[in-house]
Structure formats: C-alpha cells, structure tokens
Amino acid sequence: MQKHKKGRRPARVEATIDRITGTTLNLMLKQGADSLSISEICREAAVARPTLYRHFPTLDAVLEGVFLRIKAEFDRGLAEAIGTDPDPARRARILADYLDAHLRSGRTQQLFISNPQFSIALIGRFFDNRAALYREILDPYWDLFEGVTGSRVDREEAARLLNHYYVSLNIQTAVGSPSKDPGGNLLRFIRMLGTLSPTDRECDKPPQAREGK
C-alpha cells in the first residue's frame, strides 16, 4: 500500500485531478468554452462521471480547478524565468515579457469567456495573492531603483495597481479588443509605478486617518 504524507492527496488522486483539469483546459483552448459539458470532459479524460463528481461537484468547480492549475503553472514558469535571468536591473522586463507571453496564450481569457461572473469572483478571491507575488518579484528591482534615485516606492500599491492593470488586459483581450503591444505597455507601466511614493497613498486618506485619530 502506497504511503503518502498527511494532508497530501495520494498520487493516483493527483493524477486523476490533473487529467480532468488538463483535459478541460485543452478543450477550452481547442474549441472555446461555451460548449463545455461534464459529459464531454468525462469522455475526453476517460473518467467516469461519479469519479469526476468525487473531486468536482459542479462544472464551476472544474473551472476553478483549471484556474488553480493555470495559477500553479504560471508561478512555476515565472520562477524559472527569474532563475534563468536573476539580474535585478532586468526584473521589470522579465516580468513584463512573462506576463505578455501568458496573456497571448489565451488560457485566462478562455476561463472568462466560459463564465464571466465566476471568473471575476475567482479574480477577486486571488487578487491579494497575485499582488503579493508581483511585489515579491519586483522587490529587488525596487531596491535598485531606490538606491539610484534616492526616493521610496510604495511597493504594496504598485503591486496592486500592476495586478489591476494585468487583469484589465486579460478581460480586454477576452472581449475582443486586445492591446497592440501588451508587453511594451506592461514594461512602461511598471516603470511608471516607480513614481508612486508612499506619501501619495497617505494623501488620499481623510485628515483623521492621516493623524491616527
């Protein structure tokens, strides 16, 4: 009997979930998302309907599984891109190029086309997680930037604005009006965020909040 760590799924369960989400993603990319059905996913993934329902009780749950798969693949790919070129001075370009490539893959947009309301809910649910990732990736770049300019960058707000902007690019592409140069625009946007100082956000607060009252 195969042993597995406490809290971790057995390998065969992971393999089944991977097959279901991978098949669903391939179907979405191949034929679009409008015609997705549990029956077709089961047939293409070669799993019985009860098996699928054991892991994903609804089609929305399958789509969330696909989203988590894309998220995990995104994180691994970005880590590899940074590992290949760890120079802090190039960090903004590496991130912009990676986001551009992911945008062009069409994966996130197909989820939005499949179920816009559900996709927006997922975006909101994982928004802080994505913003934290972008801040972590850009921290060495901002360290260098601040050392050269002598000014401070509101890194938390910069990461949140970058995530807002990237989400908007994905939605814009999904509805049929993609940006002509998303990679270049992303790089320019990241560099522009260097002008965002912590005092900018402080000035937006009511006087009572600024004074700690």
Side-chain angles (χ1 to χ4, degrees), residues 131-147:
L133 173 65
Y134 299 149
R135 173 170 180 171
E136 179 184 353
I137 293 298
L138 288 172
D139 266 347
Y141 177 77
W142 295 133
D143 287 342
L144 185 63
F145 180 90
E146 291 177 349

Side-chain angles (χ1 to χ4, degrees), residues 152-154 196-205 210:
R152 291 177 59 207
V153 178
D154 189 334
L196 185 66
S197 66
T199 53
D200 294 334
R201 186 157 47 139
E202 191 69 16
C203 289
D204 289 337
K205 297 179 181 179
R210 293 202 300 271

Side-chain angles (χ1 to χ4, degrees), residues 32 35 62 76 85 119 143 149-150 156 169 201 204:
S35 61
V62 178
R76 285 195 300 271
D85 190 352
S119 297
D143 287 342
T149 64
E156 180 180 347
L169 286 178
R201 186 157 47 139
D204 289 337

Side-chain angles (χ1 to χ4, degrees), residues 26-98:
N26 289 335
L27 286 170
M28 290 167 61
L29 295 175
K30 181 180 178 181
Q31 65 189 40
D34 293 339
S35 61
L36 273 179
S37 68
I38 292 294
S39 296
E40 183 178 28
I41 294 170
C42 288
R43 182 174 65 253
E44 294 296 322
V47 298
R49 183 179 287 260
T51 299
L52 183 143
Y53 282 134
R54 189 178 306 130
H55 305 295
F56 302 104
T58 64
L59 182 57
D60 277 355
V62 178
L63 294 178
E64 180 172 352
V66 173
F67 179 88
L68 293 174
R69 179 192 180 100
I70 294 172
K71 174 176 168 290
E73 291 176 353
F74 177 96
D75 291 359
R76 285 195 300 271
L78 181 54
E80 290 172 3
I82 296 298
T84 301
D85 190 352
D87 183 357
R90 286 183 45 78
R91 189 62 59 91
R93 180 175 292 278
I94 295 297
L95 178 58
D97 288 347
Y98 187 81

